[in-house]
Amino acid sequence: MGRSETVVTKGSERVITVDEAYLRRSIQEPQADVVKGFQPIMPAFGDLSKDEVAALVEYLEGIK
């Protein structure tokens, strides 16, 4: 959380700040913003409920 990452979005590089919105989007649409240097292999988890996504984001925010 809070760190900068270079991601590839629709073929273009851009720098983002990892925040709750980025985590939510990455869980639901993992191909949207792929961290530079990584292959887009993460499967989509679009069938998760809002509560399940919120729980995952909360967990990821707690990891240091």
Side-chain angles (χ1 to χ4, degrees), residues 10-59:
K10 296 181 182 179
S12 298
E13 289 184 17
R14 65 190 185 103
V15 176
I16 57 99
T17 300
V18 177
D19 59 9
E20 185 175 330
Y22 170 77
L23 292 176
R24 286 179 183 279
R25 184 171 184 199
S26 293
I27 291 167
Q28 296 175 313
E29 302 174 56
Q31 311 310 320
D33 298 309
V34 178
V35 175
K36 183 178 177 180
F38 287 85
Q39 295 296 316
I41 60 172
M42 184 171 157
F45 294 98
D47 295 338
L48 297 175
S49 71
K50 281 185 166 184
D51 290 340
E52 290 169 323
V53 173
L56 284 170
V57 169
E58 183 178 342
Y59 171 76

